[in-house]
Amino acid sequence: MKITFLGTADVRPRADAYCSSTMLEIGDDIYLIDTGAPVAELLLKYGKRPSQIKAIFITHGHSDHFQGIFPLLSQCYYVYGDANFDILFPEKKQADALCDCAVAAYLGTPFPHDRLRFHIPAEGKTATVYDDGVLKATYIPVSPHEGVPHFSILIEAEGKTLLFTGDLSERLKDDDFPKVAYEREIDLVVCEYAHIQAEHLEPCIQKSLAKQFVFNHYAAWRREEIAAFVSDPRYKIPLRAVNDGDVIEL
Ligand SMILES: [Zn+2]
C-alpha cells in the first residue's frame, strides 16, 4: 500500500502545505482520508483519475478536513460520469448541503446518489463502516469538538493496519487518544499535531503497540518543536513529521 500525504497543514493552508488529506493506493484503487486539500486537482497532478476512487473517509465536519471535496464532487457529478465511490461523512446536514451545492453548480440533473454514495457513521459508536474486500475502515468515536462528531479511523488492508487519529482534544484533556493503539499492533499511526503537545502524547506513544508514528495537521510555527519531539531518544519507535508530497510504502 502506498500512502501519499496530500495535505499536512492545520486549519491555515500555506505556500508549502494544504490542509489535511491523505491518499492510500492499493493497486489501481484509491482511498482518501480527509479532503482538506484540493484533491480534485491533486489527483490529476499525481496522474490519477476520479474513477479510481473507491471511498473517501472524512474524520469530522470541519472545513480543513473536507473543503476539497466540493470541487471533486461537482466534477464527478457533471464531468466524470464513471466516478463511483462511497463517502463516509460524519454529519448529515453537511453531506446534504454538499450534494445540493454540486447540483446548484450546474443546475443540472439530480445528484447521482447511486454512484456518489454518502453514508453517515453512527455518532458515538465504534463500527466497521466500509469493507470492499480490499480495505476495511472502522470509525472510532473521539470527543466531539465544538459540537461536531469526530472519529479516529482504523484502516486494515493487505495485512497492514493504519490508524488515523483524527483531531484530538486540546492537550488530550478528554483522554481521547484511540485506545485501539494499546490493544493491537498498528503498522502506522497518522497522528494530528494541531491540538496537542508532545508531553501529552508521550504516554500514549510509549503505551502503544504501534511500529511507527507520523505527525500531520501542524502549524508552520511548530516545526522546531516537532523536530525536537520526533528526534527525542526516549522513543524506541520511529517518529516523523510529514510534509505535503511525502510518501510511505507499507
Ligand atoms: Zn483539524
Side-chain angles (χ1 to χ4, degrees):
M1 162 181 2
K2 184 174 174 186
I3 304 153
T4 305
F5 295 91
L6 302 177
T8 56
D10 68 346
V11 68
R12 289 171 193 81
R14 35 181 205 269
D16 64 350
Y18 294 118
C19 295
S20 274
S21 183
T22 307
M23 173 169 70
L24 308 184
E25 284 174 78
I26 300 171
D28 275 343
D29 297 341
I30 288 175
Y31 303 86
L32 297 170
I33 314 286
D34 282 337
T35 56
V39 289
E41 290 79 0
L42 286 169
L43 284 175
L44 297 177
K45 189 181 143 189
Y46 284 98
K48 311 296 176 195
R49 300 177 310 280
S51 59
Q52 291 176 255
I53 302 173
K54 297 294 170 203
I56 297 176
F57 305 105
I58 303 295
T59 55
H60 65 287
H62 282 160
S63 67
D64 54 330
H65 295 262
F66 78 88
Q67 61 205 357
I69 204 171
F70 171 64
L72 178 69
L73 274 184
S74 68
Q75 287 171 24
C76 290
Y77 156 77
Y78 191 69
V79 186
Y80 301 109
D82 57 351
N84 189 323
F85 52 83
D86 293 284
I87 307 142
L88 272 295
F89 201 105
E91 183 61 58
K92 181 160 186 342
K93 247 194 244 169
Q94 290 175 312
D96 290 346
L98 284 166
C99 300
D100 289 347
C101 279
V103 172
Y106 292 101
L107 291 175
T109 51
F111 190 83
H113 291 286
D114 56 328
R115 58 183 183 84
L116 305 174
R117 298 170 295 275
F118 274 88
H119 309 276
I120 315 299
E123 200 175 328
K125 227 175 104 181
T126 293
T128 295
V129 293
Y130 182 87
D131 187 354
D132 63 1
V134 174
L135 178 143
K136 189 164 118 176
T138 301
Y139 267 47
I140 302 166
V142 293
S143 263
H145 302 198
E146 297 155 21
V148 174
H150 275 58
F151 292 90
S152 291
I153 303 175
L154 186 76
I155 299 287
E156 294 164 86
E158 296 189 310
K160 305 283 183 186
T161 307
L162 282 92
L163 177 64
F164 289 80
T165 64
D167 279 6
L168 301 166
S169 59
E170 201 77 42
R171 291 185 236 276
L172 278 179
K173 64 175 166 42
D174 296 326
D175 187 29
D176 55 351
F177 185 85
K179 307 293 176 283
V180 67
Y182 310 146
E183 293 156 5
R184 57 183 290 178
E185 194 174 82
I186 310 267
D187 292 283
L188 175 69
V189 176
V190 180
C191 184
E192 69 107 348
Y193 204 82
H195 309 89
I196 48 176
Q197 287 77 28
E199 64 193 281
H200 305 114
L201 268 179
E202 193 207 335
C204 308
I205 295 171
Q206 302 290 23
K207 220 167 117 182
S208 83
L209 304 176
K211 290 185 181 167
Q212 57 175 319
F213 268 70
V214 298
F215 299 95
N216 67 353
H217 202 38
Y218 57 86
W221 62 270
R222 298 188 74 188
R223 264 188 209 288
E224 277 181 30
E225 174 195 332
I226 299 177
F229 166 41
V230 299
S231 55
D232 187 329
R234 277 179 302 176
Y235 296 103
K236 301 290 172 251
I237 57 167
L239 310 182
R240 120 179 211 208
V242 282
N243 297 303
D244 284 25
D246 282 355
V247 171
I248 292 179
E249 301 260 7
L250 275 188

